[in-house]
Amino acid sequence: MIKNMSILTSSMSVEKQFMPENRVQQVELLNSINDLHGGVVVNIEQPMDSRVFSPLLRASISQWRQQGKRGVWIKLPIEHANLVEAAVKEGFRYHHAEPDYLMLVCWLPETTDTIPQNASHRVGVGAFVMNNQREVLVVQENSGKFKGTGVWKLPTGVVNEGEDLCTSVIREVKEETGVETEFVEVLAFRQSHKSFFGKSDLLFICMLQPRTFDIEKQDLEIEAAQVLFDSNTFCLAST
């Protein structure tokens, strides 16, 4: 039945896989784009039967796992809601919905799922941690905008639902660097728009005082962590 169906291919790509005895098998995959955090985003733009979508999704997931991809996002316009059940059967879950689309997500690796929860506004914190020698705690990230740039930046992160700013910034510093801190005050904040899937973003820069001084960086998100004396050598930005 499926072989006789007519489908649009703008949401698919074809990849060649070499088989024994020099045979080549063409494997159809879903089109996707890489995001900044080691994952992929799939935008379903053309109508597709769920019986065609299911094997394409399974083959694509297999390929993404081989490539070491992490989070997989599928954006389904409301007119393609017929594909929701097929995606859920392959391990996807709802992340957020807007009037014209549903976003589904799946975490592929056998590690802690670090996909952020959805919110109308994303609230972030940045930690300005300075010791008695006026040295500032900074990090280099191994994902996101500054990956591979050599830029040192303040530890930053997202405030969890129901979490106070002071608790969040202390937690982020501990998670990223292993340093215990004490909240002092909010130094500044800024607002930006269309930051994360079109949502607005609030970032609060907070001053913290270190209570411990041994740095133990988090390998999952942090490439390096150290203290710097010259404040001109690091970046205040969060993304």
Side-chain angles (χ1 to χ4, degrees):
M1 291 294 296
I2 296 178
K3 292 181 180 179
N4 296 326
M5 296 182 60
S6 176
I7 62 172
L8 296 173
T9 59
S10 64
S11 295
M12 299 185 300
S13 62
V14 176
E15 180 154 326
K16 294 181 179 179
Q17 292 186 354
F18 291 93
M19 307 295 290
E21 299 178 1
N22 296 323
R23 291 181 297 167
V24 176
Q25 180 184 22
Q26 290 188 335
V27 179
E28 291 182 339
L29 304 174
L30 294 170
N31 280 334
S32 64
I33 59 174
N34 294 328
D35 65 21
L36 293 174
H37 304 283
V40 295
V41 179
V42 178
N43 290 300
I44 304 297
E45 299 176 346
Q46 299 292 343
M48 187 182 302
D49 190 278
S50 61
R51 291 172 294 176
V52 176
F53 176 73
S54 293
L56 285 173
L57 181 57
R58 284 193 292 270
S60 299
I61 289 174
S62 178
Q63 180 72 7
W64 294 326
R65 288 186 189 277
Q66 293 178 22
Q67 295 172 347
K69 299 301 181 182
R70 301 166 68 189
V72 178
W73 303 84
I74 297 180
K75 184 176 182 180
L76 285 179
I78 194 168
E79 58 267 32
H80 306 321
N82 63 302
L83 304 181
V84 171
E85 182 179 0
V88 170
K89 287 182 177 179
E90 296 302 324
F92 283 79
R93 68 178 189 271
Y94 298 164
H95 185 265
H96 63 272
E98 297 294 345
D100 59 345
Y101 76 89
L102 172 68
M103 186 70 75
L104 298 104
V105 69
C106 180
W107 182 258
L108 295 183
E110 298 296 327
T111 60
T112 301
D113 186 339
T114 61
I115 293 173
Q117 297 178 359
N118 182 54
S120 61
H121 278 64
R122 187 174 67 164
V123 179
V125 287
F128 187 82
V129 184
M130 186 168 63
N131 62 22
N132 292 333
Q133 287 73 46
R134 301 186 64 81
E135 296 172 324
V136 178
L137 180 64
V138 291
V139 298
Q140 289 182 344
E141 296 178 335
N142 58 22
S143 65
K145 180 178 180 180
F146 296 115
K147 176 183 178 180
T149 64
V151 170
W152 292 99
K153 62 186 290 291
L154 300 180
T156 57
V158 177
V159 179
N160 293 328
E161 183 177 357
E163 188 178 36
D164 291 334
L165 290 175
C166 55
T167 303
S168 175
V169 71
I170 290 172
R171 172 184 56 77
E172 287 291 346
V173 172
K174 175 65 175 177
E175 288 177 357
E176 294 188 0
T177 70
V179 175
E180 300 277 0
T181 58
E182 180 179 351
F183 179 84
V184 179
E185 61 181 339
V186 174
L187 295 176
F189 74 92
R190 69 101 176 96
Q191 183 181 29
S192 64
H193 301 288
K194 298 186 181 300
S195 174
F196 185 75
F197 289 114
K199 303 299 182 181
S200 298
D201 185 272
L202 291 169
L203 176 70
F204 292 85
I205 302 297
C206 304
M207 175 173 281
L208 303 176
Q209 182 177 0
R211 298 177 59 186
T212 62
F213 302 92
D214 293 331
I215 297 175
E216 297 180 9
K217 74 177 183 71
Q218 179 200 66
D219 293 332
L220 182 62
E221 298 178 357
I222 303 302
E223 180 69 26
Q226 67 174 29
V227 291
L228 291 178
F229 180 75
D230 184 359
S231 61
N232 293 322
T233 60
F234 67 88
C235 178
L236 290 174
S238 63
T239 56

